[in-house]
Amino acid sequence: MDAITALHTTEPIVAKLISGLTADQRDLPTPCAGWSVHDLLAHMCLASDKAALALADQDPGGEPDHLADGPVSGWAAVAAALDAAVDRMVRARFPN
């Protein structure tokens, strides 16, 4: 599976997984030592945001709280931004 297909396949799976999380579940530990579910999701959102900004040739500085309005909307926003950035990059490289 190529990276773009993996991205488009993974994003809805993550969205489905987090849509049912309770606040208590977000505080649970993950296999990543010292990281809660919330920490891991925040990291995924930040990495996706920075990738989208880099692909758009924008400064990826700063670390906004993507989960401030909740994990579902936070993930949806960064996933959409990353999808748009990847799509723009592909169209620019392969215009036809």
Side-chain angles (χ1 to χ4, degrees), residues 17-30 34-42 45 65-75:
L17 288 171
I18 64 173
S19 68
L21 286 176
T22 66
D24 289 340
Q25 289 171 321
R26 290 193 301 267
D27 291 333
L28 293 173
T30 69
W35 288 55
S36 68
V37 171
H38 178 89
D39 295 335
L40 186 57
L41 183 56
C45 286
D65 181 3
H66 297 288
L67 304 181
D69 293 328
V72 173
S73 62
W75 176 253

Side-chain angles (χ1 to χ4, degrees), residues 27-92:
D27 291 333
L28 293 173
T30 69
C32 303
W35 288 55
S36 68
V37 171
H38 178 89
D39 295 335
L40 186 57
L41 183 56
H43 173 73
M44 292 170 59
C45 286
L46 182 62
S48 295
D49 180 53
K50 288 191 177 286
L53 290 169
L55 287 171
D57 207 19
Q58 297 176 12
D59 179 12
E63 294 194 12
D65 181 3
H66 297 288
L67 304 181
D69 293 328
V72 173
S73 62
W75 176 253
V78 296
L82 184 55
D83 281 345
V86 168
D87 290 344
R88 280 190 305 272
M89 180 192 66
V90 170
R91 281 194 307 273

